[in-house]
Amino acid sequence: MLEFRIGDTAYQAGKLNAFEQLDVAVALAPVLSGAADAIARVFRGGGGLESGVKALLDSEPSAVLAPLAKALAAMPREDRRMVVVTALSKVKWARQGQQVGWAPLITPGGDIMLADVADSLPLMAQIVWRVLEQSLASFSAAPPVAGK
């Protein structure tokens, strides 16, 4: 379980199960291939995914954002929503200083329960990124060696 804080809100994020990972990976394949050059530069630079993406965004934001925006625009609306809803379904939230405890961020029907997230694409994207990063990180790892 990943725990993180954005502003005054704490979040807990679980991992996607194998079938959810498959569905999300297939839906995101065109997005990732659209930004293949930028992704390759991140991994060639070493130093880890997060620092590599930050360095690339700092030096050449259009190298990442333009192909990603183009690929996301071409992605069917249903696929975009499936990726976001699947990721948010793994998240619980708690407001700092409240004794309410953890609450699901999204209903089974796909409604976001926290207005701060429902009204802010950048905030929603940060949360979705955290879930996908921990759930799909193994896709960027080296493939298993046969016979081991």
Side-chain angles (χ1 to χ4, degrees):
M1 180 81 52
L2 173 69
E3 290 194 24
F4 58 97
R5 180 174 297 284
I6 301 174
D8 289 338
T9 306
Y11 298 92
Q12 287 182 338
K15 283 183 137 183
L16 305 179
N17 68 42
F19 289 111
E20 292 166 331
Q21 290 176 35
L22 176 63
D23 290 342
V24 168
V26 168
L28 290 177
V31 174
L32 298 177
S33 67
D37 286 342
I39 292 168
R41 278 189 268 169
V42 165
F43 285 107
R44 279 195 302 267
L49 179 62
E50 190 169 332
S51 63
V53 169
K54 183 179 179 343
L56 188 59
L57 285 173
D58 288 346
S59 64
E60 297 180 71
S62 64
V64 176
L65 299 178
L68 283 176
K70 185 176 179 181
L72 282 169
M75 189 179 193
R77 181 176 188 258
E78 298 78 26
D79 287 353
R80 288 192 306 264
R81 183 162 175 83
M82 180 277 298
V83 169
V84 170
V85 169
T86 299
L88 294 181
S89 73
K90 300 300 179 183
V91 179
K92 294 181 179 180
W93 68 279
R95 184 83 67 193
Q96 184 176 345
Q98 293 182 350
Q99 301 299 321
V100 178
W102 296 100
L105 183 58
I106 195 167
T107 67
D111 295 320
I112 298 173
M113 301 302 294
L114 184 59
D116 293 354
V117 176
D119 296 339
S120 173
L121 179 58
L123 178 56
M124 183 177 16
Q126 288 180 59
I127 296 167
V128 169
W129 171 256
R130 296 286 184 105
V131 174
L132 296 182
E133 183 179 34
Q134 78 165 340
S135 294
L136 303 179
S138 61
F139 282 89
S140 65
V145 177
K148 293 200 176 192

